[in-house]
Amino acid sequence: MSIILSHPHLRLEEHIRQVQSALGGLFNWHSPLTVTDELRILANQAAVLHDVGKATQWFQEYIKSPATFSGDKTLKVHTPLSLVFVLVQGQFEHWLPLDVLTLSFVVRGHHGSLATLPRNSMTPAQKTNLNPGEQGTILEKQLGGWQVDDLSAVVPFNKDAFLEDGKTQHLIYRTERYFSHEVLRYWKSLSDADKMTFRFKTQLVFSWLLEADKALLAVKNPETYLAVHRNHWDPRWVNQYIASRAISSSTNFKREVVRSTVLEQLEQSVEAKIFSLTAPTGIGKTLLAASWALHLRDQMPGPPRKIIIVLPYLSIIDQTILQYHELLKFSGKNYDKSWLLPAHSLADRAYKENMEQEEESFFIDTWRSELIVTTYDQFLMAIFDDRARYQMRFHNLWDALIVLDEVQSLPTRLWTSLDKAITTLVELSQSRVLLMSATLPSIVPQATPLLPEYITIFRTYQRYAMHFNLEPTPLEVFVEDLVGHLPGWLENGDRVLITVNTRASARAVLEACEEVLPADAHSHLYFITADVTPKDRMAMVRELKDKKNTPCIVVSTQTVESGVDIDMSVVIRDFAPWDSLVQIAGRCNREGERPRETVEIRYLLNDGGSAYCEQIYDAIHLSVTHDLVHDGMAVLEEDTVEYSQQYFERLALTKDTGRDYWKQYINFQPRDPVHQLLRGKNMATYDFLVLAQDPGLKEAMKAAQDIADRWKRREAWRQLAGRIANITVQVWARPGFNPHSIANPCFGELWEVRDGYYTSRRGLDLAGETLVF
């Protein structure tokens, strides 16, 4: 019997059997359209081949006692040698070139990330870690210490293929030449469409292997992991939830009409795979999406369909999760996160009671749930980020019901890639996708509308009018005029939302409001910006919803722009791109129970005479908006849909929709990270923790930092990540700022805010010093 170890407690042949067993479990969660014979064979080949490079004297010495290994660490690395094995076997046994390339990507990248390819794929001298020549010297040594006889007892192969050259450098040269002149030559001949299909299939095999490779090491009860559980999600829960609220209003009547139309259209669209829903703000898109997903899940045979809800902002994830919790109450069961899993930076990393931490983390990281609520960051990284930690989730998108909410929030540079990804996903699997927004761009033109007559629906809404007062106005002048209206607004019972573009201008408005309002009225003043911790922001939004008939003044940045379910009677907004203006207008007279109200759009300048909007937003988005509207103009809500169509049509003609980015993706070339596309390049930041909001956190962080084992220490910090993010204020510091003036160092790059510099109502207060624009 082989003595080759793959792990300190596990022989290689045992590990291969475990991985294949776990793959079988994963296959059972997917449809036959996804688990084709081709991909099943490739995944099982990857299971057999991914660790063959561990059969060297150096790795075997290391794995017997990792803590005391003192040898050359470069020689214990096993994935380059596993890659050579794939290439030698592929050439000797005449495997299909694309199968060889898929296995090369998967085997070489399973401990890091998928490789990138050189732009000129026919030049082997260009760097890629799929080129054996890049690790030539190390590979020569490893091949000299390769335990071929022991390995052949585990993985049957023809040893003559490795020995026919006599010298290891000849073998490396031969594999390098074969890879460049046969494998890559064939791949390069593919059309862009075929490259996209190849890319997705390769990522699927990669994703399966990544999860299966860890599964039975992390999970103590294999039967639990391998079994397919199907909880019953009843579409009637939505009806029961709506009936339980029993709120009578004209808006609720319209919501029911829209919902009936959506379900009727869904019944008639049995062949459709991609759907769109363009509907006014406040129409109840969360429940409409739930009806869509639960109806399809109930109708589709086979394995249970995961429901994946994707949202742009953490500020609206909380209320979405709460709404699904309300639906789950009608199940009559004690549900846990196997039913509903929040997957975002603030989520509590707890899965189920009495689970060991390693197993619990594994279930969370692999999205082992039937409903996942996540962010665009996480969703897009599962597709476009090559790193293994994100690719492990990729297979969950196959055969899933995916809701992309507020899709207009995505930068135009991702439009082409998202279109190609969605269309490929629904073609290769039984996935279904729903794109939703009040201002829906034509990202996926072939989507089937669930509200074909949505313009008619929009025309029934007459809740507000946007008035454009675009005379450039210094912030100081705007504030002087604003504060004169505050007492009257509160006396009249108004709920006022003042949304500006920067944290600095928001604080200036807040301080002016505090000066003019008496102290007993300060409890009616809310400050919702990134100067306030997520914990306090969400608490204020809940308070505003609970006290929906109480007068208030809300000063905010665009953190309340989209999806935050608050109803305001007066809205004032600094100028922004059209879709942002429509989103903020959706907070005005949200229930439609009052006569038409006013949303005033201003154009504010800083002390230097520059527009605040130009500091935040893309110049082309602003220019296209300027082309649509002008000073003194009024746009009624019922007309906004036509303006939105013009806006996105012009934007698509003007902006880069990301075709080059997509070409880089399908060609496995380096590209900008997803988070950079979503939020721009990182600036110098400081993370300030308000530890008073979580009294036990500092002690927990110290305990995590004191863990000796680096992997366990890393996992302990991951367990705390949500708690840390929930009480953190991140700021972009101006040159010369000294964080010691307000905070004490606290574990690495984290800072603990000292007493007196933070309050829940005013956020991070620097006593007049401006940190951010």
Side-chain angles (χ1 to χ4, degrees):
M1 181 175 289
S2 166
I3 57 171
I4 297 176
L5 297 177
S6 65
H7 298 79
H9 62 288
L10 201 63
R11 296 192 305 273
L12 178 58
E13 62 264 36
E14 293 174 321
H15 179 55
I16 291 172
R17 286 197 297 271
Q18 283 189 351
V19 175
Q20 291 179 319
S21 177
L23 282 173
L26 289 175
F27 295 157
N28 289 333
W29 284 85
H30 288 288
S31 72
L33 186 59
T34 292
V35 190
T36 61
D37 290 341
E38 169 203 5
L39 295 181
R40 186 190 297 270
I41 291 170
L42 278 172
N44 277 292
Q45 279 183 292
V48 172
L49 300 174
H50 73 292
D51 277 350
V52 294
K54 290 181 175 180
T56 65
Q57 64 186 68
W58 296 279
F59 184 86
Q60 292 303 301
E61 179 185 346
Y62 159 77
I63 202 63
K64 289 173 184 174
S65 182
T68 61
F69 177 73
S70 58
D72 187 342
K73 292 183 178 180
T74 63
L75 294 176
K76 76 174 180 64
V77 175
H78 68 278
T79 55
L81 193 55
S82 297
L83 169 64
V84 170
F85 189 96
V86 168
L87 294 174
V88 172
Q89 286 295 95
Q91 183 179 24
F92 192 81
E93 297 183 6
H94 304 290
W95 293 349
L96 295 174
L98 293 185
D99 289 352
V100 174
L101 187 54
T102 291
L103 291 170
S104 297
F105 275 117
V106 172
V107 166
R108 183 65 177 91
H110 75 277
H111 279 294
S113 66
L114 288 170
T116 55
L117 294 177
R119 292 187 182 277
N120 181 359
S121 59
M122 301 309 297
T123 306
Q126 290 186 283
K127 289 186 178 295
T128 169
N129 61 8
L130 291 185
N131 183 350
E134 293 296 328
Q135 293 88 25
T137 304
I138 294 172
L139 284 172
E140 286 179 29
K141 292 181 181 179
Q142 289 181 320
L143 285 165
W146 208 15
Q147 299 173 5
V148 178
D149 292 332
D150 286 337
L151 181 62
S152 63
V154 180
V155 181
F157 66 97
N158 193 315
K159 288 185 281 187
D160 292 340
F162 291 86
L163 302 175
E164 66 177 23
D165 290 319
K167 293 184 179 180
T168 55
Q169 60 264 43
H170 291 167
L171 175 67
I172 295 169
Y173 174 76
R174 177 160 56 87
T175 56
E176 182 180 36
R177 184 175 178 80
Y178 165 67
F179 178 72
S180 298
H181 289 268
E182 293 188 40
V183 175
L184 284 185
R185 186 189 297 273
Y186 184 88
W187 169 80
K188 191 179 181 183
S189 71
L190 298 178
S191 67
D192 284 350
D194 287 339
K195 283 183 178 178
M196 183 66 182
T197 298
F198 172 78
R199 171 90 201 201
F200 254 50
K201 288 182 176 180
T202 295
Q203 285 183 221
L204 179 60
V205 175
F206 190 49
S207 181
W208 276 337
L209 178 73
L210 291 170
E211 179 168 338
D213 191 31
K214 295 177 173 60
L216 300 189
L217 298 171
V219 178
K220 306 308 177 187
N221 186 350
E223 291 75 20
T224 301
Y225 173 77
L226 295 172
V228 176
H229 304 286
R230 184 181 182 119
N231 295 314
H232 179 58
W233 293 71
D234 194 332
R236 292 175 298 181
W237 292 347
V238 179
N239 293 338
Q240 293 169 345
Y241 171 70
I242 292 171
S244 70
R245 299 178 72 192
I247 300 173
S248 177
S249 71
S250 60
T251 299
N252 270 342
F253 175 76
K254 292 174 185 176
R255 287 169 182 158
E256 281 305 296
V257 171
V258 167
R259 188 165 167 273
S260 298
T261 304
V262 165
L263 291 176
E264 181 179 339
Q265 186 67 23
L266 184 57
E267 290 284 0
Q268 296 173 3
S269 307
V270 292
E271 300 298 322
K273 298 179 179 180
I274 305 172
F275 301 83
S276 65
L277 178 60
T278 307
T281 57
I283 198 67
K285 289 195 289 292
T286 299
L287 290 178
L288 289 172
S291 294
W292 174 85
L294 297 186
H295 176 84
L296 284 178
R297 193 178 194 273
D298 194 55
Q299 297 295 317
M300 298 176 75
R305 308 296 183 212
K306 287 182 186 286
I307 301 171
I308 302 175
I309 310 295
V310 186
L311 300 160
Y313 309 116
L314 291 172
S315 57
I316 60 177
I317 278 186
D318 188 42
Q319 66 187 39
T320 301
I321 291 171
L322 287 174
Q323 202 148 34
Y324 276 99
H325 277 304
E326 291 297 319
L327 293 179
L328 278 169
K329 289 178 181 178
F330 293 101
S331 70
K333 298 182 181 295
N334 293 321
Y335 57 89
D336 53 31
K337 287 187 178 176
S338 67
W339 289 73
L340 192 166
L341 178 68
H344 56 85
S345 61
L346 299 184
D348 177 21
R349 285 184 64 82
Y351 188 81
K352 191 180 292 187
E353 290 185 0
N354 302 319
M355 289 185 77
E356 293 187 19
Q357 186 181 85
E358 184 179 9
E359 185 172 6
E360 189 170 47
S361 294
F362 178 76
F363 275 71
I364 293 170
D365 291 339
T366 56
W367 287 2
R368 187 73 166 199
S369 181
E370 296 187 17
L371 170 64
I372 296 101
V373 183
T374 191
T375 59
Y376 275 106
D377 299 62
Q378 298 299 319
F379 172 75
L380 293 171
M381 286 191 289
I383 302 174
F384 300 116
D385 195 311
D386 293 332
R387 286 174 289 179
R389 60 184 290 195
Y390 300 112
Q391 286 301 303
M392 185 161 59
R393 301 168 182 162
F394 178 71
H395 75 86
N396 289 287
L397 308 182
W398 293 60
D399 304 314
L401 303 169
I402 302 170
V403 177
L404 302 178
D405 197 5
E406 305 293 358
V407 73
Q408 86 291 337
S409 65
L410 290 177
T412 55
R413 197 176 166 202
L414 281 168
W415 285 9
T416 297
S417 293
L418 184 62
D419 175 22
K420 301 292 188 182
I422 289 173
T423 52
T424 303
L425 186 62
V426 300
E427 176 187 345
L428 299 179
S429 76
Q430 289 188 349
S431 290
R432 300 291 182 267
V433 179
L434 172 61
L435 301 96
M436 299 197 305
S437 178
T439 55
L440 187 65
S442 184
I443 293 177
V444 185
Q446 64 271 43
T448 298
L450 290 175
L451 271 180
E453 304 299 326
Y454 64 89
I455 293 180
T456 302
I457 300 294
F458 268 90
R459 291 205 173 279
T460 67
Y461 278 83
Q462 302 174 8
R463 295 172 293 184
Y464 64 79
M466 279 195 282
H467 290 266
F468 290 86
N469 181 357
L470 301 183
E471 180 70 26
T473 305
L475 179 65
E476 183 179 352
V477 175
F478 166 76
V479 168
E480 287 176 0
D481 177 60
L482 174 74
V483 296
H485 294 85
L486 296 179
W489 280 330
L490 291 179
E491 288 176 11
N492 292 336
D494 284 316
R495 292 166 61 83
V496 182
L497 174 61
I498 306 157
T499 300
V500 291
N501 285 322
T502 71
R503 291 154 71 168
S505 58
R507 185 162 294 278
V509 173
L510 171 73
E511 291 173 350
C513 292
E514 289 175 329
E515 286 182 14
V516 75
L517 291 174
D520 60 357
H522 284 192
S523 62
H524 296 276
L525 187 59
Y526 296 82
F527 187 55
I528 306 180
T529 78
D531 278 344
V532 180
T533 64
K535 181 176 182 178
D536 280 336
R537 291 204 302 268
M538 286 186 279
M540 280 189 273
V541 170
R542 284 194 293 268
E543 186 175 326
L544 286 167
K545 290 177 64 177
D546 292 341
K547 298 180 177 180
K548 62 181 182 178
N549 296 318
T550 303
C552 61
I553 308 291
V554 179
V555 179
S556 81
T557 53
Q558 51 269 50
T559 51
V560 299
E561 188 172 280
S562 182
V564 176
D565 188 13
I566 55 176
D567 189 1
M568 313 302 288
S569 55
V570 176
V571 174
I572 302 171
R573 175 67 162 99
D574 193 3
F575 192 77
W578 174 259
D579 54 317
S580 295
L581 299 180
V582 173
Q583 290 295 331
I584 205 70
R587 309 315 115 200
C588 184
N589 197 10
R590 193 168 177 83
E591 293 299 318
E593 296 176 344
R594 303 181 296 274
R596 191 191 300 273
E597 294 177 330
T598 297
V599 177
E600 184 179 5
I601 310 301
R602 302 296 299 268
Y603 198 83
L604 303 181
L605 308 178
N606 64 15
D607 291 343
S610 298
Y612 282 105
C613 60
E614 294 174 357
Q615 299 179 27
I616 301 297
Y617 295 109
D618 175 82
I620 293 177
H621 288 77
L622 293 172
S623 176
V624 171
T625 306
H626 276 297
D627 290 341
L628 288 176
V629 299
H630 55 78
D631 184 38
M633 183 178 182
V635 177
L636 306 180
E637 180 185 16
E638 54 267 37
D639 297 329
T640 57
V641 63
E642 295 173 1
Y643 282 88
S644 296
Q645 288 175 332
Q646 294 179 49
Y647 172 74
F648 285 115
E649 285 171 3
R650 297 183 189 184
L651 208 57
L653 293 173
T654 309
K655 285 287 291 181
D656 173 18
T657 59
R659 187 167 183 83
D660 288 344
Y661 187 85
W662 174 67
K663 296 272 275 191
Q664 292 167 354
Y665 169 71
I666 62 173
N667 286 294
F668 295 89
Q669 291 172 357
R671 53 200 178 277
D672 291 338
V674 168
H675 68 82
Q676 183 173 313
L677 292 180
L678 291 173
R679 272 177 295 281
K681 292 184 179 180
N682 289 334
M683 301 171 62
T685 61
Y686 290 94
D687 288 335
F688 293 103
L689 276 59
V690 185
L691 288 171
Q693 295 188 349
D694 190 341
L697 180 57
K698 188 171 184 179
E699 185 177 340
M701 289 192 294
K702 184 179 186 307
Q705 190 66 18
D706 290 342
I707 296 173
D709 183 276
R710 68 187 182 100
W711 298 109
K712 292 182 179 179
R713 182 171 63 250
R714 185 180 72 166
E715 182 54 40
W717 276 104
R718 290 186 70 201
Q719 292 285 332
L720 298 174
R723 291 173 64 183
I724 293 171
N726 208 30
I727 63 162
T728 295
V729 176
Q730 187 176 77
V731 300
W732 290 264
R734 294 191 185 279
F737 172 70
N738 181 5
H740 289 90
S741 63
I742 65 167
N744 300 321
C746 174
F747 304 107
E749 297 182 355
L750 301 176
W751 295 83
E752 178 184 359
V753 177
R754 291 202 295 272
D755 291 344
Y757 289 98
Y758 183 91
T759 61
S760 292
R761 306 298 291 194
R762 305 187 82 251
L764 190 65
D765 189 349
L766 302 176
E769 180 172 3
T770 302
L771 264 187
V772 293
F773 49 75

